[in-house]
Amino acid sequence: LEGKNFVEIIEEAHKKPSVDQHKFYRGGILGTCSQTEYFIHFPNNDKIHEFFADMFLSYTEQVVTPDKSYIRHKVRSTADLSKKEYSEFIEKVIVWCETEAGITVGNAEDYHSRYYKTIIKK
């Protein structure tokens, strides 16, 4: 390696979204949306997710080939998001729900305590 030049790149480690983030989004947010009149025509939560992903995770890229040039529409998968990016996505969805559709989404703690609380019977 003697006499060679090197470049060192320091990047922040990619932290995957937590299971709780996925549960809150899939169960809490999408579950709440599916019970509203705004989303009643969507057949399932996956289609509601596609709606939000297209709105907040989509981008376009220009593809150039020797024969032609065109714009391609793509949507990022939530599996590719970092924990921070997933939180930002969730926040955008919640804000859109409240401002555009009039849907109130509870916070993650409310959802967890409402659906996953332990009930002790005596």
Side-chain angles (χ1 to χ4, degrees), residues 26-44:
R26 291 283 179 177
I29 297 172
L30 297 183
T32 299
C33 287
S34 68
Q35 296 173 6
T36 65
E37 191 169 324
Y38 192 94
F39 289 101
I40 198 78
H41 65 283
F42 285 73
N44 55 44

Side-chain angles (χ1 to χ4, degrees), residues 13-28:
H14 178 83
K15 294 181 181 175
K16 291 186 175 189
S18 69
V19 172
D20 287 341
Q21 283 178 302
H22 286 296
K23 285 180 181 179
F24 176 55
Y25 174 66
R26 291 283 179 177

Side-chain angles (χ1 to χ4, degrees), residues 43-62:
N44 55 44
N45 286 358
D46 288 336
K47 293 298 181 188
I48 299 172
H49 167 66
E50 288 175 15
F51 173 80
F52 289 129
D54 190 54
M55 189 181 305
F56 299 117
L57 299 176
S58 66
Y59 62 97
T60 57
E61 64 182 12
Q62 183 172 8

Side-chain angles (χ1 to χ4, degrees), residues 53-119:
D54 190 54
M55 189 181 305
F56 299 117
L57 299 176
S58 66
Y59 62 97
T60 57
E61 64 182 12
Q62 183 172 8
V63 178
V64 179
T65 66
D67 300 331
K68 61 182 175 178
S69 173
Y70 59 94
I71 302 293
R72 181 180 3 199
H73 178 81
K74 296 185 89 175
V75 178
R76 288 182 72 189
S77 169
T78 54
D80 297 333
L81 300 178
S82 69
K83 191 172 191 169
K84 180 182 177 193
E85 291 170 326
Y86 202 90
S87 291
E88 291 167 353
F89 169 66
I90 287 172
E91 186 62 31
K92 288 176 184 177
V93 170
I94 291 171
V95 168
W96 184 92
C97 285
E98 292 176 352
T99 59
E100 300 298 323
I103 299 169
T104 302
V105 176
N107 63 39
E109 291 79 25
D110 291 343
Y111 173 76
H112 186 271
S113 64
R114 188 174 350 142
Y115 293 101
Y116 296 106
K117 61 185 172 188
T118 303
I119 299 173

